Amino acid sequence: MRPNQNSQFRNSQLPRGLGRWSFGRWECAAILLCVLAAGCRQDMHDAPRYDPLEASPFFRDGRSARSLVTNTVARGGLREDDHLYQGKVDGQLTDTFPMPVTAELLARGRERFNVFCAPCHGRTGQGNGMVVQRGFRAPPSYHEQRLRNAPAGYFFDVMTNGFGAMSDYAAQVPVADRWAISAYIRALQLSQRATVDDVPVDRRPELDQAPEVRLPPGRPETPPAPEAR
Amino acid sequence: MPQIFRRSANSYARLSLLGALLLAGGLIGLIMAIGSSSYVTRANEFIEQPIQFSHLHHVGDDGIDCRYCHTSVESSPFAGIPPTKTCMNCHSQIWATAPFLEPVRSSFRDDRPLRWIRVHDLPDFVYFNHSIHVKKGMGCETCHGRIDEMPLVLQQNSLQMQWCLECHRAPEQFVRPRSEVFTMGYRPAVPQSVLGPQLVKEYGIQSLTSCSTCHR
């Protein structure tokens, strides 16, 4: 009695077409499968293009980043200026800079020196950087007489072509930065042999004051109490 | 005709409606939780590399600046993976015969690049540029964590959009002086609530949250 009544109710009350279509387990499974399969596709995450330095099966050496054909010169990239690119004037290493030596250039030089040179040469240029302390052959101090007499172009030349155990930094340090570093090396050399005569007369009294301890802003002497959150 | 359902069926019906709602909500919550979990984002997972290069040692112990190897980080979208020659700058002399470093030496000898496994890999539909973040005073540490304490680099943040927006909506909470961008373990000398808005103004930092900032 009961099932009969039930089926009558279904046929009469529900709109035609929906009532007959039963939503079975197969349909459920199909929809679920579609949803799950859609989640697996990563096409948009990994588009058909190369990220920088991505590997490529297309080229024999497996690199997507192609190196330049030897002796290629980019348009406008011909390095004709011997002073700027080799530190030489008339074939001789020069003591002059191809750009004006400004406080800005020296500041840039200090920053780059501390990044690329200080690991071996030390921050004061004495040749006792951390990598030397770990066993690298110690470079000469910038403050020895031979290097104090060396022209600025010499430092540029060593950075560009390497010298002894030091490999060249042409790829890591751009040309302008190499000159900035040369200028900063000159400043370091001056700093280690400075005399009272180098200080302007009106600023000499400052020498008698106790040096102001300036810690880098990021590292307070005592760590501050953790902020309450 | 007898009643099919008892009176209590009303309560069951209401309860089951409520239950269905809770279940649906719970399911959505579960899917979201799984989606942002480190299982999906692969955060906090050490990734094996061809050589176990230790940032802990090179950055933490030796104090080598990030830019010594990642030279293009200030000038290009891509921070740069150093060529093997950069390794050989030091390892031509230090540990020059260590068997551990043989893959480096053979890479240098044969001019075959080392195949490092990328740890921080954004989806290709996201545009990201390192140089602008560095110029605006975003520290490496803010996104990459204490690299100087990682023996093997792991991704410390989810790199999901929500995480990017945390900073894009409120850059003053994360910005630091340009001189401290490459510092690890940075603590602001004055409270961030004072320094942050100052730097945002000084560096002209905009809160860019339009879709096309990153999806272009």
Side-chain angles (χ1 to χ4, degrees):
Chain A
M1 185 71 189
R2 208 179 279 166
N4 197 10
Q5 219 177 25
N6 211 352
S7 68
Q8 223 173 31
F9 169 80
R10 195 194 268 169
N11 285 338
S12 62
Q13 295 292 310
L14 282 177
R16 223 189 285 167
L18 239 178
R20 279 189 199 148
W21 195 68
S22 67
F23 199 73
R25 74 178 68 151
W26 289 112
E27 283 86 345
C28 267
I31 287 178
L32 198 68
L33 203 71
C34 285
V35 168
L36 288 178
C40 294
R41 294 188 59 117
Q42 293 281 309
D43 288 0
M44 300 271 286
H45 281 72
D46 196 9
R49 62 166 166 79
Y50 292 122
D51 289 339
L53 304 185
E54 193 174 324
S56 162
F58 182 79
F59 297 101
R60 194 173 295 162
D61 62 1
R63 300 179 219 202
S64 66
R66 310 306 303 156
S67 44
L68 291 177
V69 176
T70 320
N71 297 327
T72 313
V73 177
R75 183 176 283 262
L78 188 59
R79 302 196 151 183
E80 285 180 304
D81 187 344
D82 282 353
H83 190 183
L84 181 61
Y85 293 110
Q86 293 183 32
K88 288 179 182 171
V89 171
D90 299 329
Q92 293 297 310
L93 292 172
T94 174
D95 201 22
T96 58
F97 287 83
M99 64 277 281
V101 179
T102 58
E104 214 177 14
L105 186 83
L106 285 169
R108 174 80 181 172
R110 172 164 65 190
E111 189 195 62
R112 298 291 122 173
F113 180 89
N114 287 341
V115 171
F116 293 103
C117 316
C120 286
H121 290 278
R123 293 215 162 191
T124 56
Q126 304 203 3
N128 58 352
M130 188 52 86
V131 172
V132 170
Q133 292 172 41
R134 303 263 184 226
F136 202 87
R137 193 198 305 168
S141 162
Y142 293 135
H143 311 299
E144 66 179 41
Q145 202 54 42
R146 177 179 70 89
L147 289 177
R148 284 169 58 78
N149 292 339
Y154 174 76
F155 299 106
F156 180 87
D157 178 63
V158 170
M159 280 181 259
T160 308
N161 301 313
F163 185 86
M166 172 179 156
S167 54
D168 73 88
Y169 278 73
Q172 277 161 284
V173 187
V175 171
D177 284 347
R178 274 176 254 157
W179 281 110
I181 291 172
S182 296
Y184 182 65
I185 291 173
R186 275 278 178 267
L188 276 181
Q189 289 175 329
L190 285 174
S191 77
Q192 299 296 305
R193 303 274 180 113
T195 61
V196 174
D197 296 334
D198 295 324
V199 185
V201 178
D202 56 322
R203 298 197 65 180
R204 282 181 200 172
E206 290 176 32
L207 291 175
D208 295 328
Q209 294 166 8
E212 184 192 345
V213 179
R214 278 192 65 224
L215 291 165
R219 304 187 189 96
E221 197 170 19
T222 49
E227 283 177 43
R229 287 198 173 226
Chain B
M1 200 178 75
Q3 289 289 330
I4 302 170
F5 297 110
R6 294 191 208 164
R7 280 183 74 84
S8 60
N10 285 338
S11 309
Y12 286 129
R14 289 193 194 105
L15 265 178
S16 57
L17 274 176
L18 189 73
L21 271 176
L22 282 178
L23 190 74
L27 251 167
I28 292 171
L30 184 72
I31 289 171
M32 283 170 69
I34 291 174
S36 59
S37 70
S38 55
Y39 175 75
V40 169
T41 63
R42 304 193 44 156
N44 296 318
E45 215 174 274
F46 284 113
I47 291 176
E48 284 294 320
Q49 300 284 356
I51 296 176
Q52 290 189 3
F53 176 85
S54 167
H55 278 81
L56 167 77
H57 173 67
H58 290 85
V59 182
D61 301 348
D62 295 344
I64 295 173
D65 193 281
C66 312
R67 291 164 286 181
Y68 186 91
C69 302
H70 304 289
T71 50
S72 59
V73 72
E74 292 172 298
S75 55
S76 105
F78 182 52
I81 294 295
T84 308
K85 176 180 169 292
T86 304
C87 310
M88 296 302 285
N89 281 353
C90 294
H91 288 294
S92 59
Q93 290 216 5
I94 299 181
W95 301 109
T97 53
F100 185 75
L101 292 178
E102 179 51 30
V104 179
R105 289 190 297 271
S106 70
S107 156
F108 190 64
R109 252 194 328 263
D110 309 338
D111 191 26
R112 294 196 68 82
L114 287 164
R115 296 195 169 212
W116 300 103
I117 311 298
R118 194 153 189 177
V119 177
H120 293 82
D121 194 10
L122 285 176
D124 283 359
F125 49 77
V126 180
Y127 175 80
F128 178 80
N129 190 321
H130 271 98
S131 67
I132 190 63
H133 287 84
V134 167
K135 277 201 187 79
K136 296 284 183 183
M138 282 308 295
C140 308
E141 184 190 352
T142 308
C143 299
H144 294 286
R146 289 297 296 271
I147 291 287
D148 64 327
E149 292 176 353
M150 295 181 189
L152 274 176
V153 170
L154 50 76
Q155 175 191 316
Q156 207 167 57
N157 291 296
S158 72
L159 303 191
Q160 287 184 326
M161 190 167 105
Q162 193 182 21
W163 170 79
C164 299
L165 282 172
E166 257 173 47
C167 183
H168 273 239
R169 286 188 179 125
E172 70 277 358
Q173 289 180 14
F174 301 94
V175 65
R176 49 171 86 183
R178 282 190 184 123
S179 57
E180 297 296 324
V181 164
F182 299 93
T183 307
M184 288 286 151
Y186 163 77
R187 284 166 191 258
V190 286
Q192 184 69 20
S193 53
V194 179
L195 183 69
Q198 268 176 22
L199 291 176
V200 164
K201 207 172 161 198
E202 192 187 330
Y203 297 162
I205 299 173
Q206 306 165 51
S207 170
L208 293 175
T209 51
S210 93
C211 308
S212 60
T213 304
C214 311
H215 305 290
R216 36 173 91 179

